[in-house]
Amino acid sequence: MTTTDTTDPVRLSFGTKLAYGSGQIGEAVYLGLFTSFTTLFYNQVIGLSNTLIAVAVMLALIGDAITDPVVGVLSDRWRGRWGRRHPFMFVAPVPLAVMIYCIFNPPEPLVESGHQIGLFVWLSITTILSRVFLTLYHVPHLALGAELSKDQFQRSQLFSANTIIGAISTAMVTYVTWGYFFAGERIRASDGQLVPGQLDPAAYGPVIIFACASVIIAIWGCAAMTFRHVDRLSDAPIPTERFSLLFLFREIASTFKNRNYLILMIGYFFFMITSGIYETFNVFINTYFWELAPKDIKWFGVAVGPMIIIGALVSPLLQRKFDRKPVILGALIFMTIFAQLVIDLRLLGLLPANGSEYLLPILVTNAGAFAFTIGLGSVAIAGMIGDLVDENEVLTGLRQDGLYFSARAFFGKASLSIGHLFAGMALDLYVMLPFEAVPGQVDEAIITRMGIVAGPVMALSAMLAVFIYSRYDLTAERHRGILMELEKVKSIQVLGFWT
Protein backbone atom coordinates (compact mmCIF):
# COMPACT_ATOMS: atom_id res chain seq x y z
CA MET A 1 0.00 0.00 0.00
CA THR A 2 1.39 3.40 -0.98
CA THR A 3 0.54 6.50 1.02
CA THR A 4 0.75 10.12 -0.02
CA ASP A 5 0.04 12.87 2.49
CA THR A 6 -0.57 16.42 1.35
CA THR A 7 -2.12 17.79 4.50
CA ASP A 8 1.05 19.54 5.71
CA PRO A 9 1.88 22.51 3.42
CA VAL A 10 5.34 23.10 4.88
CA ARG A 11 8.03 21.33 2.87
CA LEU A 12 11.19 20.94 4.90
CA SER A 13 14.51 21.60 3.18
CA PHE A 14 17.39 19.18 3.20
CA GLY A 15 19.29 21.68 5.35
CA THR A 16 16.56 21.63 7.97
CA LYS A 17 16.59 17.85 8.14
CA LEU A 18 20.38 17.88 8.41
CA ALA A 19 20.28 20.55 11.11
CA TYR A 20 17.73 18.57 13.11
CA GLY A 21 19.81 15.39 12.94
CA SER A 22 23.10 17.09 13.80
CA GLY A 23 22.29 17.13 17.50
CA GLN A 24 22.47 13.37 17.46
CA ILE A 25 26.25 13.66 17.24
CA GLY A 26 26.43 14.80 20.85
CA GLU A 27 24.03 12.14 22.06
CA ALA A 28 25.87 9.42 20.13
CA VAL A 29 29.21 10.44 21.67
CA TYR A 30 27.78 10.34 25.20
CA LEU A 31 25.92 7.06 24.74
CA GLY A 32 28.89 5.48 22.99
CA LEU A 33 31.07 6.16 26.02
CA PHE A 34 28.40 5.35 28.58
CA THR A 35 27.23 2.04 27.12
CA SER A 36 30.60 0.76 25.91
CA PHE A 37 33.06 1.79 28.58
CA THR A 38 31.44 2.70 31.92
CA THR A 39 31.12 -0.90 33.12
CA LEU A 40 34.50 -1.99 31.71
CA PHE A 41 36.27 1.09 33.13
CA TYR A 42 34.87 0.78 36.63
CA ASN A 43 35.13 -3.02 36.83
CA GLN A 44 38.38 -3.90 35.06
CA VAL A 45 40.26 -0.58 35.36
CA ILE A 46 39.05 0.81 38.71
CA GLY A 47 38.01 -2.44 40.44
CA LEU A 48 34.36 -1.85 41.34
CA SER A 49 31.94 -4.77 41.64
CA ASN A 50 29.80 -5.34 38.55
CA THR A 51 26.73 -5.59 40.77
CA LEU A 52 27.40 -2.15 42.30
CA ILE A 53 28.09 -0.74 38.83
CA ALA A 54 24.77 -2.19 37.64
CA VAL A 55 22.92 -0.70 40.64
CA ALA A 56 24.49 2.72 39.92
CA VAL A 57 23.48 2.50 36.27
CA MET A 58 20.02 1.31 37.31
CA LEU A 59 19.58 4.30 39.65
CA ALA A 60 20.72 6.64 36.87
CA LEU A 61 18.30 5.13 34.37
CA ILE A 62 15.39 5.17 36.84
CA GLY A 63 16.18 8.80 37.62
CA ASP A 64 16.37 9.41 33.90
CA ALA A 65 13.06 7.64 33.41
CA ILE A 66 11.45 10.02 35.90
CA THR A 67 13.05 13.17 34.52
CA ASP A 68 12.09 12.29 30.93
CA PRO A 69 8.35 12.90 31.43
CA VAL A 70 9.10 15.84 33.75
CA VAL A 71 11.09 17.52 30.99
CA GLY A 72 8.50 16.42 28.43
CA VAL A 73 5.61 18.01 30.29
CA LEU A 74 7.62 21.14 31.15
CA SER A 75 8.64 21.45 27.51
CA ASP A 76 5.04 21.00 26.33
CA ARG A 77 3.92 23.78 28.73
CA TRP A 78 6.89 26.13 28.27
CA ARG A 79 6.06 29.63 27.07
CA GLY A 80 8.58 32.15 25.81
CA ARG A 81 9.96 33.87 22.74
CA TRP A 82 12.41 30.99 22.19
CA GLY A 83 9.58 28.49 21.86
CA ARG A 84 8.90 25.30 23.79
CA ARG A 85 11.89 23.13 22.86
CA HIS A 86 14.94 25.30 22.21
CA PRO A 87 15.52 26.75 25.70
CA PHE A 88 16.15 23.24 27.03
CA MET A 89 18.40 22.35 24.11
CA PHE A 90 20.58 25.43 24.69
CA VAL A 91 20.96 24.75 28.43
CA ALA A 92 21.87 21.04 28.25
CA PRO A 93 25.35 20.54 26.72
CA VAL A 94 27.79 22.27 29.10
CA PRO A 95 26.66 20.53 32.33
CA LEU A 96 26.43 17.27 30.38
CA ALA A 97 30.07 17.62 29.31
CA VAL A 98 31.12 18.36 32.90
CA MET A 99 29.43 15.17 34.11
CA ILE A 100 31.07 13.07 31.38
CA TYR A 101 34.45 14.28 32.65
CA CYS A 102 33.52 13.49 36.26
CA ILE A 103 32.30 9.94 35.48
CA PHE A 104 35.69 8.92 34.10
CA ASN A 105 37.74 10.87 36.66
CA PRO A 106 36.73 9.60 40.10
CA PRO A 107 38.64 11.12 43.07
CA GLU A 108 42.12 9.64 43.36
CA PRO A 109 41.78 8.68 47.07
CA LEU A 110 38.76 6.50 46.22
CA VAL A 111 40.63 4.83 43.37
CA GLU A 112 43.80 4.20 45.38
CA SER A 113 41.89 2.74 48.34
CA GLY A 114 39.50 0.74 46.15
CA HIS A 115 36.68 1.93 48.42
CA GLN A 116 33.66 0.12 46.96
CA ILE A 117 30.91 2.24 48.54
CA GLY A 118 32.72 5.51 47.81
CA LEU A 119 33.24 4.59 44.17
CA PHE A 120 29.63 3.42 43.94
CA VAL A 121 28.32 6.73 45.32
CA TRP A 122 30.53 8.74 42.95
CA LEU A 123 29.44 6.72 39.94
CA SER A 124 25.77 6.93 40.97
CA ILE A 125 25.74 10.71 41.44
CA THR A 126 27.68 11.53 38.26
CA THR A 127 25.71 9.13 36.05
CA ILE A 128 22.37 10.32 37.43
CA LEU A 129 23.27 13.95 36.74
CA SER A 130 24.65 13.13 33.30
CA ARG A 131 21.39 11.43 32.32
CA VAL A 132 19.37 14.38 33.62
CA PHE A 133 21.34 16.83 31.49
CA LEU A 134 21.08 14.54 28.46
CA THR A 135 17.31 14.50 28.95
CA LEU A 136 17.19 18.31 28.77
CA TYR A 137 18.30 17.90 25.15
CA HIS A 138 16.91 14.50 24.17
CA VAL A 139 13.19 14.84 24.95
CA PRO A 140 12.65 18.38 23.55
CA HIS A 141 14.67 17.36 20.49
CA LEU A 142 12.43 14.37 19.79
CA ALA A 143 9.32 16.49 20.31
CA LEU A 144 10.76 19.11 17.95
CA GLY A 145 11.01 16.46 15.23
CA ALA A 146 7.34 15.61 15.57
CA GLU A 147 6.42 19.32 15.45
CA LEU A 148 8.52 20.34 12.46
CA SER A 149 6.19 18.41 10.12
CA LYS A 150 2.91 16.54 10.46
CA ASP A 151 3.33 14.89 7.06
CA GLN A 152 3.97 11.19 7.71
CA PHE A 153 6.66 10.82 5.05
CA GLN A 154 8.49 14.05 5.95
CA ARG A 155 8.37 13.09 9.61
CA SER A 156 9.93 9.75 8.74
CA GLN A 157 12.63 11.59 6.81
CA LEU A 158 13.38 13.81 9.81
CA PHE A 159 13.81 10.83 12.08
CA SER A 160 15.81 9.12 9.33
CA ALA A 161 18.20 12.07 9.29
CA ASN A 162 18.45 11.81 13.05
CA THR A 163 19.21 8.09 12.86
CA ILE A 164 21.65 8.47 9.96
CA ILE A 165 23.71 11.19 11.62
CA GLY A 166 23.63 9.25 14.87
CA ALA A 167 24.89 6.19 13.02
CA ILE A 168 27.72 8.11 11.36
CA SER A 169 28.65 9.58 14.73
CA THR A 170 28.55 6.19 16.43
CA ALA A 171 30.75 4.74 13.71
CA MET A 172 33.24 7.58 14.02
CA VAL A 173 33.32 7.32 17.82
CA THR A 174 33.88 3.56 17.59
CA TYR A 175 36.60 3.86 14.95
CA VAL A 176 38.46 6.77 16.58
CA THR A 177 38.19 5.42 20.13
CA TRP A 178 39.34 1.89 19.34
CA GLY A 179 41.63 2.74 16.41
CA TYR A 180 43.37 5.79 17.89
CA PHE A 181 42.83 6.40 21.61
CA PHE A 182 42.93 2.71 22.65
CA ALA A 183 45.17 1.44 19.83
CA GLY A 184 47.84 -1.12 20.59
CA GLU A 185 48.94 -2.75 23.82
CA ARG A 186 50.61 -1.11 26.77
CA ILE A 187 52.05 -1.99 30.17
CA ARG A 188 49.42 -1.51 32.89
CA ALA A 189 51.03 0.37 35.80
CA SER A 190 49.04 -1.41 38.51
CA ASP A 191 50.34 -4.93 37.80
CA GLY A 192 52.87 -4.71 34.94
CA GLN A 193 50.66 -6.78 32.60
CA LEU A 194 50.66 -6.16 28.85
CA VAL A 195 47.02 -5.26 28.11
CA PRO A 196 44.94 -3.70 25.30
CA GLY A 197 44.33 0.04 25.56
CA GLN A 198 40.80 -0.16 26.96
CA LEU A 199 42.17 -1.84 30.09
CA ASP A 200 44.73 0.90 30.82
CA PRO A 201 43.55 3.85 32.99
CA ALA A 202 45.96 6.27 31.28
CA ALA A 203 44.20 5.84 27.91
CA TYR A 204 40.92 7.40 29.01
CA GLY A 205 41.93 11.05 29.56
CA PRO A 206 42.22 12.15 25.90
CA VAL A 207 39.02 10.27 24.98
CA ILE A 208 37.02 12.19 27.57
CA ILE A 209 38.29 15.63 26.48
CA PHE A 210 37.38 14.77 22.88
CA ALA A 211 33.91 13.63 23.97
CA CYS A 212 33.17 16.73 26.05
CA ALA A 213 34.06 19.10 23.22
CA SER A 214 31.99 17.10 20.71
CA VAL A 215 28.89 17.15 22.92
CA ILE A 216 28.93 20.93 23.40
CA ILE A 217 29.54 21.76 19.73
CA ALA A 218 26.95 19.32 18.36
CA ILE A 219 24.00 20.12 20.64
CA TRP A 220 24.48 23.89 20.52
CA GLY A 221 24.83 23.66 16.75
CA CYS A 222 21.55 21.75 16.39
CA ALA A 223 19.68 24.22 18.59
CA ALA A 224 21.08 27.23 16.71
CA MET A 225 20.42 25.86 13.21
CA THR A 226 16.78 24.90 13.91
CA PHE A 227 15.94 28.05 15.86
CA ARG A 228 14.56 29.84 12.77
CA HIS A 229 11.54 27.48 12.78
CA VAL A 230 10.38 28.51 16.26
CA ASP A 231 7.77 31.01 15.04
CA ARG A 232 5.74 28.41 13.12
CA LEU A 233 5.78 25.64 15.74
CA SER A 234 2.85 24.81 18.00
CA ASP A 235 2.27 27.12 20.97
CA ALA A 236 2.04 25.73 24.46
CA PRO A 237 -1.56 25.29 25.69
CA ILE A 238 -2.65 27.42 28.61
CA PRO A 239 -2.09 25.25 31.71
CA THR A 240 -5.27 24.27 33.50
CA GLU A 241 -3.45 22.73 36.48
CA ARG A 242 -0.22 23.42 38.35
CA PHE A 243 2.64 21.04 37.69
CA SER A 244 3.26 18.41 40.40
CA LEU A 245 4.44 14.81 40.62
CA LEU A 246 0.83 13.71 40.98
CA PHE A 247 -0.03 15.67 37.85
CA LEU A 248 2.98 14.14 36.07
CA PHE A 249 2.05 10.54 36.77
CA ARG A 250 -1.58 11.25 35.93
CA GLU A 251 -0.43 12.64 32.59
CA ILE A 252 1.69 9.55 31.92
CA ALA A 253 -1.22 7.31 32.85
CA SER A 254 -3.47 9.26 30.49
CA THR A 255 -1.35 8.19 27.50
CA PHE A 256 -2.34 4.57 28.17
CA LYS A 257 -5.93 5.34 27.26
CA ASN A 258 -4.64 5.02 23.71
CA ARG A 259 -4.60 1.27 23.10
CA ASN A 260 -1.86 1.37 20.47
CA TYR A 261 0.40 3.50 22.64
CA LEU A 262 -0.05 1.05 25.51
CA ILE A 263 0.94 -1.81 23.19
CA LEU A 264 4.08 0.06 22.08
CA MET A 265 5.08 0.77 25.67
CA ILE A 266 4.63 -2.79 26.93
CA GLY A 267 6.55 -4.18 23.96
CA TYR A 268 9.25 -1.56 24.39
CA PHE A 269 9.56 -2.47 28.08
CA PHE A 270 10.45 -6.08 27.33
CA PHE A 271 12.68 -5.26 24.37
CA MET A 272 14.75 -2.81 26.42
CA ILE A 273 15.48 -5.49 29.02
CA THR A 274 17.28 -7.35 26.24
CA SER A 275 19.02 -4.10 25.24
CA GLY A 276 20.32 -3.59 28.78
CA ILE A 277 21.88 -7.06 28.82
CA TYR A 278 23.38 -6.49 25.37
CA GLU A 279 24.85 -3.09 26.30
CA THR A 280 26.51 -4.43 29.44
CA PHE A 281 27.95 -7.56 27.88
CA ASN A 282 29.04 -6.27 24.45
CA VAL A 283 32.44 -4.86 25.41
CA PHE A 284 33.18 -7.90 27.60
CA ILE A 285 32.23 -10.21 24.72
CA ASN A 286 34.57 -8.41 22.31
CA THR A 287 37.42 -8.24 24.82
CA TYR A 288 37.26 -11.68 26.44
CA PHE A 289 34.88 -13.97 24.49
CA TRP A 290 36.29 -13.14 21.04
CA GLU A 291 39.67 -11.82 22.36
CA LEU A 292 39.64 -9.01 19.79
CA ALA A 293 42.34 -6.32 19.80
CA PRO A 294 41.35 -2.63 19.55
CA LYS A 295 42.55 -2.61 15.93
CA ASP A 296 39.94 -5.30 15.21
CA ILE A 297 37.10 -3.77 17.23
CA LYS A 298 37.36 -0.47 15.32
CA TRP A 299 36.04 -2.20 12.18
CA PHE A 300 32.67 -2.75 13.82
CA GLY A 301 32.09 0.98 13.58
CA VAL A 302 32.95 0.94 9.90
CA ALA A 303 30.33 -1.75 9.27
CA VAL A 304 27.68 -0.62 11.74
CA GLY A 305 27.50 3.07 10.74
CA PRO A 306 26.75 2.60 7.02
CA MET A 307 24.30 -0.23 7.68
CA ILE A 308 22.30 1.83 10.18
CA ILE A 309 22.21 4.59 7.58
CA ILE A 310 20.99 2.22 4.88
CA GLY A 311 18.34 0.87 7.25
CA ALA A 312 17.22 4.39 8.16
CA LEU A 313 17.04 5.41 4.49
CA VAL A 314 15.14 2.30 3.48
CA SER A 315 12.74 2.45 6.44
CA PRO A 316 10.55 5.36 5.23
CA LEU A 317 10.29 3.76 1.79
CA LEU A 318 9.25 0.42 3.25
CA GLN A 319 6.80 2.13 5.60
CA ARG A 320 5.31 4.01 2.67
CA LYS A 321 4.81 0.78 0.75
CA PHE A 322 3.93 -1.69 3.50
CA ASP A 323 2.93 0.57 6.44
CA ARG A 324 4.78 0.89 9.74
CA LYS A 325 3.75 -2.32 11.53
CA PRO A 326 5.30 -4.87 9.13
CA VAL A 327 8.52 -2.86 9.11
CA ILE A 328 8.85 -2.70 12.90
CA LEU A 329 7.99 -6.39 13.33
CA GLY A 330 10.49 -7.51 10.69
CA ALA A 331 13.16 -5.26 12.18
CA LEU A 332 12.65 -6.60 15.70
CA ILE A 333 12.64 -10.25 14.65
CA PHE A 334 15.90 -10.00 12.73
CA MET A 335 17.44 -7.71 15.35
CA THR A 336 16.86 -10.43 17.94
CA ILE A 337 18.38 -13.08 15.66
CA PHE A 338 21.53 -11.16 14.75
CA ALA A 339 22.16 -9.95 18.33
CA GLN A 340 22.84 -13.51 19.48
CA LEU A 341 23.57 -15.51 16.30
CA VAL A 342 27.38 -15.59 16.31
CA ILE A 343 27.56 -16.24 20.06
CA ASP A 344 25.16 -19.19 19.74
CA LEU A 345 27.20 -20.57 16.82
CA ARG A 346 30.41 -20.33 18.86
CA LEU A 347 28.76 -22.13 21.81
CA LEU A 348 27.80 -24.89 19.36
CA GLY A 349 31.36 -25.07 18.04
CA LEU A 350 30.39 -23.88 14.56
CA LEU A 351 32.65 -20.81 14.23
CA PRO A 352 36.42 -20.53 13.58
CA ALA A 353 38.68 -20.29 16.63
CA ASN A 354 39.75 -16.93 18.09
CA GLY A 355 42.61 -15.49 16.09
CA SER A 356 41.45 -17.11 12.83
CA GLU A 357 41.59 -14.87 9.78
CA TYR A 358 37.99 -15.81 9.02
CA LEU A 359 36.49 -14.89 12.40
CA LEU A 360 36.60 -11.08 12.22
CA PRO A 361 34.87 -10.85 8.79
CA ILE A 362 32.07 -13.11 10.09
CA LEU A 363 31.61 -11.00 13.23
CA VAL A 364 31.69 -7.71 11.32
CA THR A 365 29.18 -8.98 8.73
CA ASN A 366 26.80 -10.08 11.48
CA ALA A 367 27.20 -6.71 13.23
CA GLY A 368 26.34 -4.96 9.96
CA ALA A 369 23.16 -7.00 9.54
CA PHE A 370 22.22 -6.24 13.15
CA ALA A 371 22.83 -2.52 12.55
CA PHE A 372 20.61 -2.54 9.44
CA THR A 373 17.67 -3.74 11.54
CA ILE A 374 18.37 -0.99 14.11
CA GLY A 375 18.10 1.63 11.36
CA LEU A 376 14.82 0.16 10.13
CA GLY A 377 13.27 -0.12 13.56
CA SER A 378 14.35 3.15 15.14
CA VAL A 379 12.82 5.24 12.36
CA ALA A 380 9.62 3.21 12.35
CA ILE A 381 9.03 3.42 16.11
CA ALA A 382 9.64 7.18 16.21
CA GLY A 383 7.16 7.66 13.37
CA MET A 384 4.57 5.46 15.08
CA ILE A 385 4.69 7.60 18.21
CA GLY A 386 4.34 10.76 16.11
CA ASP A 387 1.23 9.25 14.52
CA LEU A 388 -0.23 8.50 17.94
CA VAL A 389 0.43 12.09 19.04
CA ASP A 390 -1.70 13.20 16.09
CA GLU A 391 -4.45 10.79 17.13
CA ASN A 392 -4.29 12.12 20.68
CA GLU A 393 -4.67 15.70 19.41
CA VAL A 394 -7.87 14.73 17.57
CA LEU A 395 -9.27 13.02 20.67
CA THR A 396 -8.26 15.55 23.33
CA GLY A 397 -7.42 18.79 21.51
CA LEU A 398 -3.94 18.76 23.12
CA ARG A 399 -0.63 18.60 21.26
CA GLN A 400 1.54 16.54 23.65
CA ASP A 401 4.59 15.46 21.65
CA GLY A 402 6.90 15.87 24.64
CA LEU A 403 4.71 13.81 26.95
CA TYR A 404 4.33 10.91 24.50
CA PHE A 405 8.03 10.70 23.63
CA SER A 406 9.12 11.11 27.25
CA ALA A 407 6.61 8.54 28.57
CA ARG A 408 8.08 6.11 26.04
CA ALA A 409 11.55 6.95 27.32
CA PHE A 410 10.31 6.45 30.91
CA PHE A 411 9.33 2.84 30.31
CA GLY A 412 12.29 2.15 28.05
CA LYS A 413 14.83 3.33 30.59
CA ALA A 414 13.09 1.67 33.51
CA SER A 415 13.29 -1.67 31.71
CA LEU A 416 16.80 -0.93 30.42
CA SER A 417 17.89 -0.53 34.05
CA ILE A 418 16.46 -3.97 34.82
CA GLY A 419 18.53 -5.40 31.97
CA HIS A 420 21.69 -3.70 33.28
CA LEU A 421 21.05 -4.94 36.82
CA PHE A 422 20.48 -8.49 35.62
CA ALA A 423 23.66 -8.33 33.51
CA GLY A 424 25.79 -6.93 36.34
CA MET A 425 24.60 -9.54 38.80
CA ALA A 426 25.12 -12.26 36.18
CA LEU A 427 28.73 -11.14 35.65
CA ASP A 428 29.43 -11.26 39.39
CA LEU A 429 27.38 -14.27 40.51
CA TYR A 430 27.26 -16.55 37.44
CA VAL A 431 30.03 -15.59 35.02
CA MET A 432 32.42 -14.63 37.88
CA LEU A 433 34.89 -12.61 35.79
CA PRO A 434 37.81 -11.52 38.04
CA PHE A 435 39.14 -7.95 38.35
CA GLU A 436 41.98 -6.94 35.97
CA ALA A 437 41.38 -10.03 33.83
CA VAL A 438 43.73 -10.37 30.86
CA PRO A 439 42.26 -11.52 27.52
CA GLY A 440 43.42 -15.01 26.61
CA GLN A 441 44.16 -15.88 30.24
CA VAL A 442 40.56 -16.31 31.47
CA ASP A 443 39.26 -19.77 32.41
CA GLU A 444 37.26 -21.41 29.59
CA ALA A 445 34.29 -22.11 31.90
CA ILE A 446 33.99 -18.36 32.59
CA ILE A 447 33.98 -17.64 28.85
CA THR A 448 31.27 -20.25 28.24
CA ARG A 449 29.05 -18.82 30.97
CA MET A 450 29.54 -15.34 29.50
CA GLY A 451 28.35 -16.59 26.11
CA ILE A 452 25.26 -18.30 27.57
CA VAL A 453 24.04 -15.05 29.15
CA ALA A 454 24.95 -12.85 26.17
CA GLY A 455 23.37 -15.28 23.68
CA PRO A 456 20.24 -17.34 24.30
CA VAL A 457 19.36 -15.87 27.73
CA MET A 458 19.50 -12.30 26.38
CA ALA A 459 17.02 -13.04 23.57
CA LEU A 460 14.13 -14.31 25.71
CA SER A 461 12.67 -10.91 26.60
CA ALA A 462 12.98 -9.64 23.01
CA MET A 463 10.90 -12.53 21.68
CA LEU A 464 8.07 -11.58 24.03
CA ALA A 465 8.32 -7.97 22.80
CA VAL A 466 7.83 -9.07 19.17
CA PHE A 467 4.58 -10.83 20.07
CA ILE A 468 3.28 -7.74 21.89
CA TYR A 469 4.13 -5.39 19.01
CA SER A 470 2.12 -7.61 16.67
CA ARG A 471 -1.08 -6.29 18.35
CA TYR A 472 -0.55 -2.70 17.06
CA ASP A 473 -3.25 -1.65 14.55
CA LEU A 474 -2.98 2.07 13.59
CA THR A 475 -2.65 1.94 9.79
CA ALA A 476 -1.51 4.61 7.35
CA GLU A 477 -5.08 4.88 6.03
CA ARG A 478 -6.41 5.63 9.50
CA HIS A 479 -3.64 8.17 10.03
CA ARG A 480 -4.63 10.03 6.85
CA GLY A 481 -8.11 10.31 8.29
CA ILE A 482 -6.67 11.69 11.53
CA LEU A 483 -4.74 14.38 9.63
CA MET A 484 -7.90 15.36 7.77
CA GLU A 485 -9.69 15.76 11.10
CA LEU A 486 -6.89 17.98 12.37
CA GLU A 487 -7.13 20.17 9.27
CA LYS A 488 -10.89 20.52 9.75
CA VAL A 489 -10.38 21.63 13.35
CA LYS A 490 -7.77 24.20 12.32
CA SER A 491 -9.99 25.50 9.54
CA ILE A 492 -12.83 25.97 11.99
CA GLN A 493 -10.50 27.77 14.40
CA VAL A 494 -9.31 30.12 11.63
CA LEU A 495 -12.89 30.87 10.56
CA GLY A 496 -13.83 31.52 14.17
CA PHE A 497 -10.92 33.96 14.53
CA TRP A 498 -12.00 36.05 11.51
CA THR A 499 -15.77 36.06 12.24
Side-chain angles (χ1 to χ4, degrees):
M1 177 172 56
T2 303
T3 65
T4 305
D5 291 338
T6 58
T7 52
D8 191 344
V10 178
R11 311 308 299 177
L12 299 178
S13 68
F14 175 77
T16 295
K17 296 167 187 174
L18 192 65
Y20 174 74
S22 66
Q24 197 65 15
I25 298 171
E27 188 168 352
V29 169
Y30 169 80
L31 292 177
L33 287 177
F34 187 85
T35 59
S36 296
F37 298 111
T38 301
T39 302
L40 185 73
F41 176 79
Y42 271 86
N43 179 249
Q44 291 298 312
V45 176
I46 300 297
L48 181 61
S49 157
N50 271 309
T51 300
L52 290 178
I53 296 170
V55 172
V57 172
M58 181 179 184
L59 292 174
L61 289 171
I62 290 174
D64 197 11
I66 294 171
T67 56
D68 272 346
V70 170
V71 172
V73 172
L74 289 176
S75 176
D76 282 341
R77 294 156 61 101
W78 192 268
R79 288 176 168 270
R81 62 189 180 88
W82 284 18
R84 296 198 288 174
R85 316 302 178 188
H86 284 80
F88 298 89
M89 294 166 64
F90 279 117
V91 166
V94 171
L96 174 57
V98 171
M99 286 302 106
I100 292 172
Y101 181 85
C102 290
I103 288 172
F104 290 93
N105 287 274
E108 197 61 33
L110 292 179
V111 176
E112 291 179 353
S113 65
H115 195 286
Q116 294 287 291
I117 299 303
L119 288 168
F120 164 72
V121 171
W122 178 266
L123 177 61
S124 298
I125 292 173
T126 54
T127 52
I128 288 170
L129 290 176
S130 73
R131 303 295 295 207
V132 169
F133 295 129
L134 179 67
T135 296
L136 289 180
Y137 158 75
H138 175 74
V139 172
H141 180 253
L142 281 179
L144 176 65
E147 277 193 89
L148 283 170
S149 178
K150 293 182 177 64
D151 176 81
Q152 194 181 55
F153 187 60
Q154 280 203 109
R155 186 178 281 163
S156 293
Q157 289 180 318
L158 274 172
F159 289 119
S160 287
N162 201 50
T163 302
I164 290 166
I165 293 175
I168 294 173
S169 305
T170 299
M172 291 179 63
V173 169
T174 301
Y175 191 87
V176 171
T177 302
W178 291 104
Y180 176 71
F181 292 111
F182 291 153
E185 294 182 312
R186 65 244 6 235
I187 302 296
R188 186 164 55 193
S190 62
D191 58 6
Q193 287 276 6
L194 184 66
V195 296
Q198 70 268 28
L199 299 179
D200 179 25
Y204 282 83
V207 180
I208 302 312
I209 299 301
F210 165 76
C212 293
S214 300
V215 164
I216 293 172
I217 293 170
I219 295 179
W220 270 353
C222 172
M225 290 187 291
T226 56
F227 186 74
R228 65 189 180 89
H229 295 279
V230 166
D231 289 341
R232 69 173 186 80
L233 301 179
S234 303
D235 293 326
I238 298 174
T240 58
E241 183 177 349
R242 290 187 62 185
F243 181 81
S244 66
L245 285 178
L246 178 62
F247 169 79
L248 169 64
F249 287 110
R250 194 162 62 239
E251 287 286 279
I252 292 175
S254 72
T255 63
F256 297 145
K257 294 177 182 177
N258 186 310
R259 173 187 174 275
N260 283 308
Y261 190 75
L262 179 61
I263 287 170
L264 289 187
M265 293 306 97
I266 295 174
Y268 194 56
F269 180 88
F270 285 104
F271 190 80
M272 291 305 288
I273 292 176
T274 290
S275 296
I277 300 171
Y278 180 87
E279 286 182 2
T280 299
F281 269 81
N282 191 42
V283 69
F284 289 98
I285 289 291
N286 286 335
T287 301
Y288 297 106
F289 191 85
W290 301 121
E291 299 175 13
L292 298 175
K295 66 181 178 63
D296 299 322
I297 298 175
K298 72 180 182 181
W299 294 111
F300 287 99
V302 175
V304 165
M307 293 307 293
I308 290 180
I309 293 171
I310 293 172
L313 289 172
V314 169
S315 188
L317 304 176
L318 292 178
Q319 291 174 60
R320 209 174 194 187
K321 183 173 181 60
F322 300 109
D323 214 339
R324 299 203 197 277
K325 179 179 173 179
V327 175
I328 191 67
L329 287 179
L332 291 176
I333 290 169
F334 284 101
M335 201 182 300
T336 304
I337 292 171
F338 291 124
Q340 60 170 328
L341 178 61
V342 286
I343 295 175
D344 294 345
L345 292 175
R346 164 54 62 83
L347 293 174
L348 294 171
L350 299 177
L351 280 187
N354 289 353
S356 167
E357 62 180 310
Y358 302 109
L359 180 62
L360 183 61
I362 293 171
L363 298 180
V364 171
T365 300
N366 182 79
F370 176 66
F372 176 77
T373 64
I374 292 176
L376 284 178
S378 58
V379 173
I381 192 68
M384 291 164 87
I385 294 175
D387 296 346
L388 294 174
V389 171
D390 294 334
E391 184 179 44
N392 177 69
E393 186 175 5
V394 168
L395 296 175
T396 67
L398 298 175
R399 186 77 196 177
Q400 296 176 302
D401 308 78
L403 175 63
Y404 269 66
F405 278 101
S406 59
R408 174 236 187 178
F410 178 93
F411 283 91
K413 289 170 183 175
S415 56
L416 186 66
S417 71
I418 295 173
H420 277 284
L421 180 62
F422 174 86
M425 294 178 67
L427 281 167
D428 275 348
L429 303 178
Y430 177 66
V431 178
M432 294 185 285
L433 182 70
F435 292 142
E436 296 190 330
V438 178
Q441 300 179 22
V442 180
D443 187 89
E444 188 62 32
I446 293 175
I447 299 301
T448 299
R449 292 194 295 268
M450 186 182 294
I452 290 171
V453 178
V457 171
M458 178 191 67
L460 295 175
S461 187
M463 289 189 286
L464 181 57
V466 171
F467 170 76
I468 294 169
Y469 272 114
S470 69
R471 316 310 297 171
Y472 181 88
D473 65 3
L474 177 58
T475 64
E477 184 176 356
R478 274 182 57 196
H479 184 253
R480 287 197 299 274
I482 288 168
L483 293 181
M484 291 175 64
E485 287 295 320
L486 288 175
E487 287 302 308
K488 288 180 184 178
V489 171
K490 290 181 180 179
S491 298
I492 292 171
Q493 290 173 341
V494 170
L495 288 173
F497 177 82
W498 289 107
T499 57

